[in-house]
Amino acid sequence: MTLLAVDGLRRSFGSLVAVDGVSFEIEAGEIVGMIGPNGAGKTTTFNCILSVIDSDAGTVSFDGADVTGGPPHALARRGLVRTFQQTRELETLTVADNMLLAAPEHPGERAWHAVGRTSTSAQREAAARERAMELLEVFDIAGMVEEYAGNLSGGQRKLLELARSLMLDPKLLLLDEPFAGVNPSLTNEIVGHIEALNDDGMTLLIIEHELETLTDLVDRLIVLADGQVLATGPPAAIMENEEVIDAYLGG
Amino acid sequence: MEIPLAQEVIFGLVIGSYIALGAIGFTLVYGLVNMINFAHGEFITIGAFVGYFAVAEIGLPLPVAVLVALGGTAVVGWGIARITFEPMNDAGAVPLLLMSIGLGLVLRNGIRAIAGPDRRNIRTDVATYRFDDLGFFVTSQQLLIIGLTLVSVLVLHLFLSRTMLGIAMRATADNEDLALVSGIDTRRVRNAVWLAASGLAGVAGVMLGTAQAASPTVGFGQLLLIITAAILGGAGSPYGAVAGSYILGVAVTVSVPFLQRLEETLALNLELTALNSTMAFVILIVVLLVRPGGLVSAEVRTS
Amino acid sequence: MSDGASRFEEFPVDAVHVGLTLFVLAVLFLYSPLFVQPPGGTFTVLEVVVLFLLYAMILVGLNLQFGHAGLVNFGPVAFFAVGGYTAAMLTANEPFRAVGLGYPWPVGLLAAILVAAALGVLLGISTLRLRDDFLAIVTLAVAEIIHGLLETQSDITGGSLGLNNVPRPIAGTTTAGDGAVLVSTIIVFGALALLFYGVFRRLSASPYGRVLRAIRADEQVTETLGKRVFRYKLAVFVYGAAVAGLAGALLVFYNGAAAPGFFTINVTVIVWIGMLIGGAGSDRGVLGGLAIIMSFQLFTRFLNDQIPFVTQDQFASIRLVLIGLLLMVIVKYRPEGIWGDADELGVES
Ligand SMILES: Nc1ncnc2c1ncn2[C@@H]1O[C@H](COP(=O)(O)OP(=O)(O)OP(=O)(O)O)[C@@H](O)[C@H]1O
Ligand SMILES: [Mg+2]
């Protein structure tokens, strides 16, 4: 089943066409890597898919529905969740609050429940807290739970951002350079988490420059260059592809 | 009495000139220091008092007083900014805004406590040139303010396009991070901005002192007009600010008889003309809502 | 501080319950023949207390907007004024040269809340997408426009004189004189202020408040985590507007009159400075800050009578200089205020 279908996506900044007619599909259950030289338009593609920025043309459909230009919060609720290239923790919130914030369908986030202090809200909060602690244990940052996210190290931030996305139970998780600035042992750890998530049925699309790690991890690669899809296919074939090699050496 | 349109336009150009001198500085500070300076009006007030002191106490002729106010206010404004804003340059837009509100309160009321609420007119000889056939007149004072503004704009233009520092300023306004990496001393740029912004405010102050009076609130009274003009011109763009100022100046003066006629035709007494100054706020809001980037495009939205 | 559960435990008593109870008792007290006569010479102080309670209502809304959600609303007085004038114009009996419809006061009170809230919706929808500093300018400008309208539209608002002959419901319940009215007013307003504090406190201390603080930290991330950011911003804007509108109505019903002088930019300045002194985002702290700044004003007013060689105008100016200095010092040296949390506000001190 096709989970995500991107068709003819375009976005320009002034005269620069950052994303120039990008089309691809992601099947449910896949891990797909997206690679390309700096400035190829990978992050911009993510931004357009999630309509964090407006795209000039093209359509995005997710899980059978057209979600082009849909508000980001609605996409998150449908199960399309992303991380950011520069980790964006909510630094002025604690680790616990970062996690709990992501809990979907929380009645306590409605004014009436908040003022009435309803028991449904309290129950949801307790359940969310339990789930948050579970995830934090898995990601080995449970010790920091009451710390402000601003006080975490770079690696811990990456882990928190990943853990936070998982609070939403995504169907498709888009990761923007999850291994950038992460030491090798932590990289291995994150790879382990990603594989475990995929085994549990989650689909992932991963932007990454660290090719060695990525090619071992993914089923398929999409190569972007100058805002266009240059090639797509299994990692082994892509690594042999002349055009791709040129794009990397030339770029 | 019906005032001819040509006369209204001249009044508008005069008002636009006062606003422009303030708005250029305001917008430079906005673009290069990344702050909205609510104390900018007080720099104008300082200029008015320096000018008054130079003319009335020392007896200098007006052109010299203008230069004194230019230099004096530039240094004072720069010094104040060094003490107050510069140390918290990285704090973000809102803390800087709050700081400038505090500074505005201190300066405005400090001046009032010392000088009293009196209005001190800067007396000068005024010649009036009549063009009765065309139905308007101008005074030497009006010509001086318009001329001073044009000269200021010209000097600013030469500075921004011909000097290293000016080019560095434009680069910094475009992209501060990039400017930093490419070795531009952004601190020096900020110093230049404060000097220029306060200096121009000083000139505006003297001229307002001659047309109205040096009083503790003379500059503050201009502030929202200045902000409106700067936003109209695309916040951060000095040329836009000049254009915005003249558009605003003419719009405000020309709208007065228009509103009068509107009231007469509608046979209503809404006292619309009493809303003259309120007009500026309305224009400001309409601009921000309809065309938030101003005449050119600037980023004022969060996402 | 930020942990939802521990916030709940922080309080031995719940302000909502206490506020409600007190309100019921206050109403019973009003309609009983009992009254309290304040000691002579305390009038000035008590009048400031009345204002404090009304400003506190504005402030709890403002603190939810700025302290928690990060919305820079520089025009709270606009809603205060609109509430006050709505109530006055609907209820006044033949005021001197202004609209006075003579409806009973509850109509005025309700309308004040609704009209202020409606203005909040209108303004919110059109401006809440603006960046922080531009939102500040627009809200400030709207407040000034409204003030300008109140002063100039004499046939409607009574111009600079305002409206008189507005009903005074609390004064109507006793014949024991102005002092007794003042005390009754303080009891009723105090109960209401406590109630609103409690309600807004519950909002901020719940998952709802967590979303607001997330919006302040990073709107975009909050949105991608599935929250309707704009809705939340609009909601807190409107809640604050509604309460400020109510406070405005209470003020005119206390005074029996409305005038532009009650609703100047000074109100905005005082509540903002109170909030910053106390520490934006600290629900109790901001009220402490408001108490400090209003006590300062009161104290200096007494002081003015003691110092003969300074004119009243000079004294007023010096007072504002001090307030401005205080603001500068706070922003620079203690941006989290006295009781605020530097980590939570993301500031260094
Ligand atoms: N907001 C923006 N304004 C102007 N230009 C932008 C903006 N965002 C991205 N660009 C430009 O669009 C192009 C693509 O950027 P993008 O961030 O998508 O690249 P990328 O493939 O993610 O690169 P990297 O591997 O370095 O992260 C770049 O040239 C970039 O400078
Ligand atoms: Mg990128």
Side-chain angles (χ1 to χ4, degrees), chain B residues 26-270:
Chain B
F26 180 86
T27 215
L28 282 176
V29 169
Y30 176 79
L32 290 157
V33 190
N34 297 316
M35 68 172 289
I36 287 180
N37 181 15
F38 264 89
H40 196 70
E42 275 59 52
F43 291 178
I44 293 177
T45 305
I46 291 173
F49 275 93
V50 171
Y52 176 80
F53 192 76
V55 173
E57 305 288 329
I58 308 181
L60 297 174
L62 187 62
V64 182
V66 169
L67 289 178
V68 170
L70 172 77
T73 316
V75 172
V76 172
W78 167 79
I80 291 173
R82 278 298 297 270
I83 299 168
T84 54
F85 302 129
E86 192 64 27
M88 49 184 298
N89 187 40
D90 299 324
V94 175
L96 281 167
L97 179 69
L98 293 171
M99 190 72 177
S100 74
I101 290 176
L103 177 63
L105 276 172
V106 170
L107 292 176
R108 191 158 61 251
N109 293 288
I111 292 171
R112 190 185 169 102
I114 297 166
D118 311 346
R119 302 165 52 81
R120 296 177 169 81
N121 181 256
I122 302 178
R123 266 172 223 284
T124 49
D125 301 325
V126 180
T128 303
Y129 310 102
R130 296 197 169 275
F131 299 86
D132 287 334
D133 315 342
L134 303 171
F136 69 91
F137 66 87
V138 296
T139 66
S140 55
Q141 212 177 52
Q142 292 170 339
L143 289 176
L144 182 63
I145 172 67
I146 295 176
L148 272 173
T149 308
L150 294 182
V151 170
S152 303
V153 172
L154 192 69
V155 171
L156 181 79
H157 173 70
L158 292 177
F159 174 68
L160 286 177
S161 56
R162 299 287 160 83
T163 66
M164 287 302 289
L165 189 56
I167 292 167
M169 272 163 92
R170 276 167 43 208
T172 310
D174 282 347
N175 187 337
E176 178 156 358
D177 293 331
L178 197 64
L180 264 176
V181 207
S182 46
I184 289 174
D185 183 354
T186 51
R187 213 187 134 94
R188 217 174 128 226
V189 167
R190 283 198 300 276
N191 282 337
V193 167
W194 283 117
L195 282 170
S198 342
L200 290 176
V203 176
V206 188
M207 296 316 295
L208 277 167
T210 59
Q212 304 172 8
S215 78
T217 53
V218 64
F220 188 62
Q222 298 283 309
L223 185 64
L224 273 151
L225 288 170
I226 288 172
I227 295 179
T228 306
I231 292 175
L232 191 59
S237 152
Y239 304 115
V242 175
S245 301
Y246 283 111
I247 293 173
L248 188 64
V250 173
V252 169
T253 39
V254 172
S255 68
V256 174
F258 173 73
L259 291 177
Q260 265 165 356
R261 233 168 297 139
L262 186 72
E263 268 184 350
E264 279 160 23
T265 28
L266 294 178
L268 281 173
N269 181 19
L270 290 176

Side-chain angles (χ1 to χ4, degrees), chain B residues 30 83 112 270-271 300, chain C residues 126 131 138 152-153 313 332:
Chain B
Y30 176 79
I83 299 168
R112 190 185 169 102
L270 290 176
E271 287 155 83
V300 299
Chain C
S126 45
R131 234 177 55 180
V138 175
T152 53
Q153 301 303 306
D313 190 73
K332 192 155 174 177

Side-chain angles (χ1 to χ4, degrees), chain C residues 77-98:
Chain C
V77 71
F79 307 103
F80 190 47
V82 164
Y85 269 84
T86 304
M89 290 182 340
L90 280 175
T91 58
N93 283 304
E94 299 180 14
F96 175 73
R97 202 192 171 202

Side-chain angles (χ1 to χ4, degrees), chain A residues 1 7 27 32 44 47 50-51 59 80 89 133 142 151 160 168 199 216 221 224 240 243:
Chain A
M1 188 196 95
D7 189 26
E27 300 297 317
V32 178
T44 309
N47 286 342
L50 281 143
S51 52
T59 58
L80 184 56
E89 257 55 62
M133 285 313 294
N151 299 337
L160 173 57
L168 285 150
D199 289 344
D216 287 347
L221 280 175
L224 239 57
E240 305 283 296
E243 264 189 296

